[in-house]
DNA sequence: TTTACTGTTGCAGT
DNA sequence: AACTGCAACAGTAA
């Protein structure tokens, strides 16, 4: 499911629907997604009240009294809230029974998602160890460090944008959109970019991720979204999934190539190598 | 039927 | 240290 705008949309959904509620029981069907002690996971969460739901990069952070639950949706993780009866589904892996009779369900076809239950005091060290970069806002995401990182890297620029250490939140879709908006070919070697190009990448990263949040994320290849509702950002995508379609800027046909193993959409005329 | 691909990240290898 | 390819898993499309 998620790049930053989608995760933020899920966060807002959870904030509205489950904050203030107490978890009465937890049922775990797939323990492999729990990266901390899975033996006591359900018991530790039972009886805890959800105080807040926050986000750092693409990670969700659920606040309990002295503990936090860090949830990463990876490719296909989703949260759904059922008022009463929960239908049977082979991809429902976690069930959080809440004190108002509703059940929060975690669904994940590919089981890539992760759960980590930590003491609140461990949070800072956790994100430091992951080396998560700044949030994509004017205040946090400064141009100078980004310029330095891009200017000294020999990686392909698309791969570099996907590195969460530079800036948190870009994934495969939004990286393509940012590169198109900044008129930079995804295979350019980072250290060959001109200052103006780096600035455009910086500015477009902030603009497009914020736009994604405003639009509630994009709903692609995913029928319904439950929590996080249906976003409309897919209607604003310019190149992702647009193979053969005319470039909105110049009319040239959008192409798709592999860059660092990821499918990458671009305009061969606007984005020269 | 096989193969390649999929909104991610971490690990083993160089 | 920095970079690459692959693995975790299940489904869909060609």
């Amino acid at each position: 499911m998620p790049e930053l705008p989608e995760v933020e949309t899920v966060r807002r959904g959870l904030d509205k629907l489950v904050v203030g509620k107490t978890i009465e029981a937890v049922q775990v069907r797939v323990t492999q997604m729990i990266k901390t002690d899975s033996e006591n996971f359900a018991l530790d969460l039972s009886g805890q009240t959800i105080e807040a739901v926050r986000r750092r990069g693409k990670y969700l952070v659920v606040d309990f009294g002295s503990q936090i639950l860090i949830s990463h949706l990876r490719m296909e993780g989703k949260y759904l809230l059922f008022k009463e009866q929960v239908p049977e589904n082979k991809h429902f892996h976690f069930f959080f029974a809440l004190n108002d009779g509703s059940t929060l369900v975690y669904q994940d076809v590919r089981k890539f998602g992760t759960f980590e239950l930590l003491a609140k005091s461990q949070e800072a060290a956790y994100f430091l160890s992951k080396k998560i970069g700044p949030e994509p806002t004017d205040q946090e995401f400064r141009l100078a460090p980004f310029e330095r990182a891009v200017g000294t890297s020999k990686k392909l620029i698309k791969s570099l944008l996907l590195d969460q250490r530079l800036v948190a939140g870009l994934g495969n879709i939004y990286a393509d959109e940012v590169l198109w908006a900044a008129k930079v070919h995804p295979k350019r070697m980072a250290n060959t970019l001109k200052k103006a190009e780096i600035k455009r990448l910086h500015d477009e990263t902030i603009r497009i991720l914020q736009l994604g949040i405003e639009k509630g994320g994009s709903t692609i290849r995913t029928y319904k979204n439950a929590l996080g509702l249906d976003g409309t950002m897919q209607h604003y995508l310019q190149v992702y999934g647009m193979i053969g379609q005319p470039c909105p800027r110049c009319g040239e046909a959008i192409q798709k190539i592999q860059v660092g193993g990821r499918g990458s959409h671009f305009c061969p005329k606007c984005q020269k190598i």
Side-chain angles (χ1 to χ4, degrees):
Chain A
M1 255 201 80
E3 298 178 40
L4 185 144
E6 291 75 28
V7 177
E8 174 60 19
T9 303
V10 172
R11 188 201 68 75
R12 290 178 181 186
L14 289 170
D15 191 46
K16 185 174 165 192
L17 295 172
V18 303
V19 165
K21 296 180 185 174
T22 300
I23 296 174
E24 292 193 329
V26 180
Q27 189 194 342
V28 178
R29 287 200 181 151
V30 179
T31 55
Q32 70 200 24
M33 306 170 68
I34 304 172
K35 299 308 173 185
T36 47
D37 176 22
S38 63
E39 295 280 308
N40 303 310
F41 184 84
L43 211 54
D44 287 346
L45 283 174
S46 298
Q48 303 252 29
T49 298
I50 300 169
E51 294 180 351
V53 182
R54 294 177 288 117
R55 179 190 56 72
R56 178 75 178 89
K58 301 177 191 172
Y59 294 79
L60 288 167
V61 183
V62 183
D63 275 306
F64 299 102
S66 60
Q67 292 182 301
I68 55 172
L69 177 65
I70 300 184
S71 164
H72 197 299
L73 276 31
R74 293 289 183 104
M75 296 287 268
E76 309 236 17
K78 293 171 186 63
Y79 282 100
L80 303 89
L81 187 70
F82 293 97
K83 291 289 177 202
E84 17 197 77
Q85 207 66 29
V86 178
E88 186 48 43
N89 184 305
K90 65 191 288 201
H91 301 304
F92 290 176
H93 307 313
F94 288 75
F95 303 82
F96 303 90
L98 305 177
N99 63 331
D100 64 348
S102 65
T103 305
L104 182 67
V105 173
Y106 178 77
Q107 175 183 30
D108 193 336
V109 169
R110 297 174 72 180
K111 302 186 185 129
F112 282 177
T114 59
F115 287 90
E116 289 157 289
L117 190 57
L118 305 174
K120 196 163 275 188
S121 59
Q122 296 176 281
E123 180 176 344
Y126 175 86
F127 286 115
L128 271 179
S129 75
K130 302 273 184 203
K131 300 190 168 72
I132 302 296
E135 290 291 315
T137 60
D138 285 320
Q139 304 78 33
E140 311 258 330
F141 183 28
R142 311 302 305 181
L143 180 58
F146 182 65
E147 262 178 2
R148 193 153 16 88
V150 173
T152 58
S153 170
K154 302 177 83 164
K155 288 169 80 171
L156 305 181
I157 187 60
K158 162 104 185 242
S159 303
L160 196 60
L161 290 179
L162 293 176
D163 185 340
Q164 302 296 300
R165 290 175 292 191
L166 272 147
V167 57
L170 284 176
N172 202 42
I173 293 179
Y174 291 94
D176 282 0
E177 295 297 317
V178 166
L179 286 162
W180 178 84
K183 302 183 187 176
V184 174
H185 191 289
K187 278 193 158 177
R188 288 278 300 283
M189 197 181 294
N191 65 12
T192 68
L193 295 200
K194 292 187 290 234
K195 237 179 170 179
E197 293 176 315
I198 299 175
K199 171 153 174 49
R200 291 205 299 273
L201 287 176
H202 169 270
D203 293 356
E204 294 297 341
T205 293
I206 295 172
R207 184 184 69 81
I208 291 174
L209 287 176
Q210 294 306 317
L211 178 66
I213 291 173
E214 271 176 44
K215 301 302 175 190
S218 27
T219 308
I220 271 182
R221 214 179 58 239
T222 304
Y223 6 151
K224 48 182 178 260
N225 252 11
L227 270 190
L229 309 170
D230 284 355
T232 58
M233 183 62 192
Q234 64 274 18
H235 302 309
Y236 299 84
L237 299 179
Q238 309 290 310
V239 286
Y240 188 86
M242 303 294 183
I243 310 166
Q245 305 279 104
C247 167
R249 209 163 30 210
C250 76
E252 189 80 1
I254 298 301
Q255 281 185 19
K256 183 180 178 188
I257 56 174
Q258 293 292 121
V259 179
R262 310 299 304 278
S264 302
H265 309 72
F266 73 106
C267 169
K269 198 166 165 189
C270 293
Q271 298 164 266
K272 299 283 192 200
I273 186 81

